[in-house]
Amino acid sequence: MIEVQNLTKSYGDFTAVDDISFTCRPGAVTGFLGPNGAGKSTAMRMIVGLTPPTSGKATIGGVDFSNIPNPGTQVGVLLDASAQHAGRTGREILKLGAVTMGIPLSRVDELLELVGLSPKEAKRRVRHYSLGMRQRLGIAHALLADPQVLILDEPVNGLDPAGIHWMRGLLRYQAERGGTVLLSSHLLREIEVIADDLIVIGNGRIIAQGSKEELLKGQGTFVQAGDSASLARALTDAQLAFSGTDAFTVDAQPEAVGQVAATAGIALVELRQSDGADLESLFLSITSDSQRGSAFIQGDVA
Amino acid sequence: MSKTFEAAIDLGAKQVPMIRLVDVEMRKLVDTRAGLWLMILIGSVIVLVESAFVITAIVYGENPPWSYLLTSMATPLGLMLAVLGIMTVTSEWGQRTSLVTFVLEPHRMRVVIAKFLAGTLTAIVLLLFTIVFTASLTWLVGQINGIDPMWDVSRSMMLGFGLTQLTGFLIGFAFGMLIPNTPAAIVVFFLYRYVFPPLLGFAALLWDWFEPIEPWINLSAALAPLSTGTITNEETWHLISSFGFWVCLPLALGSVLLVRREIK
């Protein structure tokens, strides 16, 4: 279990991570979603003790990362697939990890096979690897000692659709056997496929969190009437919170909204549970705050 | 789906033993082209420089004593061991491998100690190689010239030579800790080695008040008596003081910075 409590990181005036709290439960894949520069990587580096937090704390299984003995065997971490010495071979990188962790070197070959790097590729220097190959190598490194907890920063970045599918199966297996998985992504579509729980972060703050079903279901009721002014008045009188000008999204169940309309004698054009567009529009609105992010997301959606 | 699982961190597991960390750091010294070539370079410089000396000596009918061969190696070996010291630490930063290293061992000073031990062991091996190689050449010259080899290196001289060379490595390591960038650390080392001592001497000439201070921080000068094998009491104190200034101080400062630094 990963627990993050009021974690904050400031660099001078700039607050990269702003008072975030969340829990990743065992047996589930938690997706950490946000545009580039939202603070995902900084938060993950704080969880594994590489970045000292300004305030707040993060624990894994109740303890600080630095108090976990031989942490590589218990928590598999991939922070940046490109953060490897370009002059080392893929095999050598895994070997260094295995020696540090004290696990049999036979695991190196097992993992290379698992992530689909051929013996020939494993002998090449990482300089000549594509991003997808580096991701596979990084995942192999994180999985070397078969850890219970996985923390992966943008692991799907650079993988082809088959790779994404493979990753999904891999993380699902981890969760089903009781493991805890936290993975970040800047692509809603990607994380939607893989995660059970979602944490959405923008500009260093958590904007939404909960199970995927909850978040994607959207909340409230979509309602539209021919006479929208009367409907607005009736909703206000009934003390129901709503938004919109022509059609409304009301913070209540469809039945309650229908009752209000019936009592007021207003004919409705449409009444239904609001659809799951909320998360996507929320995500698009936070990403359009930063131009970098918006270009990325729009490119992906298009 | 909604099964609950226990948190699975085993606090009773053993931490990574130092011997494995040292093993990994030794591997890292030679498993990249840059590292491997540095070792090959050091080895070949020792062999080539000494062979050139000996061949010249034989051609001119001279009979170089062991001390001559050994001390001729002092400068090149000193420089190369310093670069080894620098790269032992700085190679971690150039390619962001620190993101992996310090996740596998979050106690950063343990990694530093492992690097220190790995580098020191390597430096000692190179030093022993130099001693054995020059001794063999001394014997060979004796055989070729048909005379007794001149074994004129006393035990204290040998010790002095070894300590001076190891100090070179230590300074490199300390500079590498303070300046986490290979080229910058090498430049600063060369400034320390070649620009700083004359500057100190000049300052001592210029300001009277500085003259008594100078020997306490001039490590190059303080090391000189070591290589001859005799050292007075006062010189020992000069050596300790300047060693503290150039090795212990940057090492301590660099360690504090490393432990607090954000690794990204």
Side-chain angles (χ1 to χ4, degrees), chain B residues 162-183:
Chain B
L163 287 178
T164 308
Q165 294 300 316
L166 277 184
T167 306
F169 165 79
L170 293 178
I171 294 171
F173 190 88
F175 282 19
M177 282 291 291
L178 193 60
I179 307 160
N181 172 294
T182 311

Side-chain angles (χ1 to χ4, degrees), chain A:
Chain A
M1 183 150 74
I2 304 170
E3 272 183 290
V4 170
Q5 291 163 16
N6 306 105
L7 206 55
T8 298
K9 178 71 189 177
S10 310
Y11 299 95
D13 289 342
F14 173 67
T15 307
V17 174
D18 193 354
D19 194 30
I20 63 170
S21 301
F22 62 84
T23 302
C24 305
R25 58 190 172 98
V29 176
T30 305
F32 199 19
L33 178 67
N36 291 348
K40 302 184 300 286
S41 300
T42 309
M44 288 175 129
R45 280 200 313 273
M46 284 195 276
I47 294 173
V48 298
L50 290 179
T51 293
T54 306
S55 63
K57 66 183 239 167
T59 55
I60 299 175
V63 294
D64 272 11
F65 185 82
S66 64
N67 289 334
I68 300 173
N70 198 349
T73 58
Q74 313 205 41
V75 184
V77 179
L78 170 60
L79 291 177
D80 182 346
S82 297
Q84 279 297 357
H85 200 295
R88 289 200 179 105
T89 65
R91 198 161 196 291
E92 175 66 15
I93 285 169
L94 293 188
K95 224 166 171 178
L96 288 174
V99 172
T100 310
M101 297 177 209
I103 55 175
L105 291 180
S106 57
R107 279 293 286 168
V108 170
D109 295 312
E110 284 174 40
L111 260 304
L112 283 169
E113 204 185 321
L114 177 75
V115 301
L117 286 172
S118 71
K120 206 174 150 196
E121 289 168 328
K123 277 188 201 138
R124 285 162 65 190
R125 291 173 197 274
V126 171
R127 174 175 298 118
H128 307 296
Y129 278 26
S130 67
L131 179 56
M133 286 165 76
R134 285 177 202 215
Q135 291 285 18
R136 287 168 185 272
L137 182 69
I139 289 154
H141 193 273
L143 292 175
L144 264 178
D146 200 15
Q148 279 289 311
V149 182
L150 284 177
I151 297 176
L152 311 170
D153 195 359
E154 300 271 1
V156 187
N157 206 359
L159 289 185
D160 50 25
I164 295 176
H165 182 76
W166 164 79
M167 173 78 83
R168 180 189 171 191
L170 189 92
L171 299 182
R172 183 97 338 263
Y173 165 75
Q174 285 284 329
E176 269 162 19
R177 63 173 198 150
T180 308
V181 181
L182 172 64
L183 90 156
S184 74
S185 174
H186 61 267
L187 300 175
L188 176 62
R189 291 287 170 244
E190 223 171 65
I191 215 153
E192 220 182 314
V193 177
I194 298 175
D196 304 306
D197 293 344
L198 286 179
I199 298 158
V200 187
I201 184 173
N203 291 324
R205 291 179 153 274
I206 290 182
I207 291 161
Q209 61 177 316
S211 76
K212 185 171 63 183
E213 287 78 22
E214 243 168 64
L215 287 176
L216 292 182
K217 193 172 67 190
Q219 279 155 353
T221 300
F222 178 87
V223 64
Q224 195 172 10
D227 183 358
S228 52
S230 301
L231 180 59
R233 213 174 307 120
L235 288 170
T236 313
D237 290 344
Q239 295 186 320
L240 292 178
F242 63 94
S243 60
T245 47
D246 198 22
F248 307 107
T249 304
V250 188
D251 195 7
Q253 289 304 308
E255 197 184 349
V257 178
Q259 192 61 53
V260 169
T263 311
I266 299 167
L268 294 181
V269 177
E270 200 174 352
L271 174 69
R272 59 178 164 85
Q273 185 96 46
S274 71
D275 53 32
D278 282 347
L279 187 63
E280 181 153 7
S281 56
L282 173 76
F283 190 58
L284 281 172
S285 72
I286 58 167
T287 53
S288 59
D289 287 350
S290 74
Q291 281 202 319
R292 264 192 302 178
S294 97
F296 240 120
I297 297 303
Q298 283 166 6
D300 179 60
V301 167

Side-chain angles (χ1 to χ4, degrees), chain B residues 156 159-160 163 221-240:
Chain B
S156 60
L159 191 69
L163 287 178
L223 280 169
L226 263 191
S227 36
T228 61
T230 50
I231 185 162
T232 67
N233 242 347
E234 199 193 3
E235 284 169 340
T236 309
W237 286 113
H238 287 165
L239 185 59
I240 291 171

